[in-house]
Amino acid sequence: MSSNSIPDVRGRAKALDRDDPLSFTRSEFNIPTRAQIASTRLADPASELKTTASSDGDASSPCVYLCGNSLGLQPKRTPVRINQYLSTWATQGVQGHFKPLEESPLPTWVDADAKAAKLIAPIVGAEASEVAVMQTLTANIHLLMSAFYRPEINGRHKIILESKAFPSDHFAVETQIRHHGLSPETSMVTIKSPYSEDNVISTYDIMSVISTHAADTALILLPGIQYYTGQLLDIPTITGFAHKHGIFVIWDLAHAVGNVRLSLHDWDVDAAAWCTYKYLNGGPGCIGGMFVHSKNSLVTKEITDEKPEEGYRNRLAGWWGNDKKTRFVMANKFHPVGGAAGFQLSNPSILDITSLSASLEVFELAGGVPTLRKKSLQLTKFLEGLLNGMSEEDRKLFRIITPADPDQRGAQLSIALANNLLGTVMHELETRGVIVDERKPDVIRVAPAPLYNTFEDCVDFVEAFAAALQAGRDNAKSG
Ligand SMILES: Cc1ncc(COP(=O)(O)O)c(C=O)c1O
């Protein structure tokens, strides 16, 4: 680092951390030590690990974890709540479904999904009835499309998505189109930025593709935040524009939920889905979530055997989407509950919901997304400033591809590396106790999460990054 003098920026970072009203939430998390992330042995996290881990820093000090965009860290409440759940199961068996226990912070299992939906609703800006905690992200995208992509009904057959969509989203769209007997060649439209080599797509780019294909487009699937570039799309403007053309929009909020402010109901978003293992810290592969605007999930009429679909939007259904009042009557007549919950299939994993709900407690403690976003904007700007202040020699080896406008990004900065440096940089960062993630061919994604990251983490990262770039230069000289 050159224009950043380390003692100066570290002093500034320490002062910002001292003044941070949210600093208390860091202690709510298990932050792996440098020794732990270097270890190859299964560890009891409570006991101290003795390994010769990192080449830098104290092995027992916390690592620099800037990877909440991929997998959020474990809240300390998670094992506590999971043990309470295990104890309920061990001592109550099947009664855990319905029997409330004195002094238990956990809901009965039959109510666990509804309670978790209530906790998530303010995070996505929705009414509780518009949120369902269910399945996983890709499965939920498929379920939403099963209800809202119906080319055989109105002849609109095209689905618009971005050309660099997350592969799972791309596969979901392709296979939905085929599922309806159509061909992706004629029914799938991809948006590519005509100007940006990194495929940062402007709202204008998106609108012009929508305009071109408006007449026969049924549906648009877009990310709230693009996973590779970290770009935050203008959800309300794009949704409003699509609606003018009679097009339904589904948002993949994997990287947006718990990261940026969302007002799905007020923005008139049709439907959305997300995972909970990133900024929501639910744990790897944890249960996902779905939003369906109240206007799209109405159950308006008594459902008859003659016209079973009349009165509600058809969907792929399961018993957990049935009205709770008649769910256990076991009649073979599907009567969906109104709202997003009517799209559920199976009884959900209570282990997952317990894990997710433990983290949602921390969101409440922190004062919710508006408070977190305020700190997140500061943290990411601070990190960006440090990166931009690196030596000219370093600056030649990378560029930040995430938009510089804070309103067009969340916590994450994506850094594109030059000269095939990805492998070296990842290795060097890891040996220095820094965890970020890579997206091939040349990007590292660095995301300070306001719930547990500090300004000093940003300084530690940039210091290690400078050393990693130096190692890259040294390798090039010697190789
Ligand atoms: C943007 C995006 N969409 C979809 C997925 C797939 O998620 P899942 O494996 O939970 O279906 C991911 C996973 O990280 C993602 O980042």
Side-chain angles (χ1 to χ4, degrees):
M1 274 170 111
S2 80
S3 51
N4 295 319
S5 146
I6 282 289
D8 283 359
V9 289
R10 195 170 288 284
R12 206 146 45 88
K14 279 183 195 286
L16 287 165
D17 287 329
R18 239 186 346 261
D19 294 342
D20 171 17
L22 264 185
S23 60
F24 71 98
T25 55
R26 181 172 166 85
S27 63
E28 288 281 332
F29 287 85
N30 284 315
I31 304 190
T33 64
R34 288 165 189 251
Q36 283 167 339
I37 60 163
S39 174
T40 52
R41 277 208 349 251
L42 176 64
D44 172 0
S47 73
E48 224 175 301
L49 268 172
K50 294 201 170 36
T51 52
T52 47
S54 45
S55 59
D56 237 4
D58 176 7
S60 63
S61 65
C63 76
V64 178
Y65 191 88
L66 294 164
C67 211
N69 58 300
S70 182
L71 181 72
L73 285 178
Q74 184 188 90
K76 289 178 183 165
R77 287 160 193 259
T78 305
V80 175
R81 295 287 178 256
I82 286 180
N83 278 326
Q84 287 165 331
Y85 153 69
L86 290 174
S87 158
T88 309
W89 179 24
T91 59
Q92 302 296 322
V94 72
Q95 297 188 112
H97 282 299
F98 298 103
K99 181 175 153 190
L101 297 179
E102 275 172 36
E103 310 207 352
S104 171
L106 306 177
T108 54
W109 302 337
V110 82
D111 294 318
D113 49 353
K115 172 139 187 241
K118 208 165 157 190
L119 289 172
I120 293 206
I123 293 175
V124 296
E127 289 165 11
S129 62
E130 292 175 313
V131 176
V133 175
M134 59 186 272
Q135 306 293 336
T136 51
L137 173 52
T138 308
N140 286 337
I141 289 173
H142 271 300
L143 288 174
L144 286 172
M145 287 201 265
S146 82
F148 298 108
Y149 177 56
R150 308 290 296 280
E152 57 282 354
I153 290 180
N154 59 13
R156 285 179 176 239
H157 63 103
K158 286 185 183 162
I159 303 183
I160 299 177
L161 74 166
E162 22 135 27
S163 65
K164 298 268 177 72
F166 193 89
S168 210
D169 293 22
H170 189 100
F171 302 155
V173 168
E174 245 178 8
T175 53
Q176 282 284 336
I177 288 171
R178 287 210 188 95
H179 193 64
H180 287 275
L182 300 166
S183 159
E185 267 182 27
T186 43
S187 294
M188 185 161 93
V189 177
T190 56
I191 306 169
K192 188 166 170 27
S193 167
Y195 308 111
S196 158
E197 61 174 309
D198 304 313
N199 210 34
V200 169
I201 37 180
S202 68
T203 303
Y204 178 80
D205 297 336
I206 296 169
M207 286 176 171
S208 32
V209 174
I210 296 175
S211 298
T212 307
H213 297 274
D216 45 10
T217 294
L219 194 137
I220 301 174
L221 173 65
L222 284 173
I225 290 184
Q226 215 281 346
Y227 79 99
Y228 194 84
T229 62
Q231 181 192 4
L232 168 60
L233 299 191
D234 185 343
I235 299 174
T237 303
I238 296 165
T239 302
F241 189 77
H243 285 175
K244 281 202 193 114
H245 294 280
I247 302 171
F248 193 93
V249 194
I250 299 176
W251 291 93
D252 173 345
L253 299 179
H255 291 264
V257 68
N259 180 10
V260 292
R261 294 176 80 144
L262 297 167
S263 299
L264 300 185
H265 179 87
D266 289 347
W267 292 343
D268 204 24
V269 162
D270 293 306
W274 54 86
C275 53
T276 61
Y277 41 78
K278 299 178 186 293
Y279 297 97
L280 292 186
N281 315 307
C286 191
I287 195 161
M290 182 199 276
F291 166 88
V292 185
H293 198 284
S294 50
K295 70 184 180 189
N296 295 320
S297 61
L298 298 174
V299 178
T300 54
K301 286 188 185 156
E302 186 56 39
I303 292 148
T304 61
D305 286 338
E306 298 76 55
K307 293 187 176 165
E309 254 197 65
E310 195 166 286
Y312 67 93
R313 163 78 60 163
N314 194 31
R315 65 204 66 182
L316 296 181
W319 76 312
W320 218 252
N322 203 75
D323 194 338
K324 253 181 174 175
K325 291 193 288 291
T326 52
R327 188 190 282 161
F328 293 96
V329 172
M330 310 312 267
N332 280 340
K333 192 161 107 178
F334 181 57
H335 192 301
V337 61
F343 291 77
Q344 293 177 101
L345 300 183
S346 305
N347 77 103
S349 159
I350 301 301
L351 184 58
D352 276 35
I353 291 190
T354 305
S355 180
L356 171 61
S357 302
S359 173
L360 298 178
E361 287 181 30
V362 185
F363 271 80
E364 281 202 318
L365 210 66
V369 175
T371 320
L372 288 167
R373 174 66 169 157
K374 201 164 153 214
K375 175 174 171 187
S376 175
L377 285 165
Q378 270 185 296
L379 266 176
T380 300
K381 187 145 199 65
F382 184 72
L383 173 62
E384 182 187 38
L386 295 181
L387 287 164
N388 287 335
M390 290 176 79
S391 74
E392 250 180 61
E393 209 184 4
D394 286 339
R395 294 296 327 263
K396 283 186 197 140
L397 294 179
F398 73 89
R399 69 203 162 79
I400 301 172
I401 62 171
T402 307
D405 174 4
D407 289 336
Q408 289 186 58
R409 68 186 185 201
Q412 170 188 330
L413 292 182
S414 299
I415 302 173
L417 301 167
N419 306 347
N420 293 323
L421 275 172
L422 185 61
T424 308
V425 165
M426 286 302 287
H427 174 74
E428 294 295 328
L429 289 176
E430 210 177 303
T431 58
R432 286 169 175 78
V434 176
I435 302 278
V436 296
D437 80 351
E438 64 176 2
R439 279 291 172 264
K440 289 189 166 94
D442 58 3
V443 158
I444 59 170
R445 304 185 300 178
V446 187
L451 273 174
Y452 47 78
N453 282 122
T454 61
F455 290 89
E456 213 175 351
D457 282 339
C458 300
V459 177
D460 286 337
F461 165 74
V462 174
E463 205 175 7
F465 186 48
L469 294 176
Q470 183 58 50
R473 278 191 293 269
D474 293 345
N475 286 351
K477 269 187 215 144
S478 64

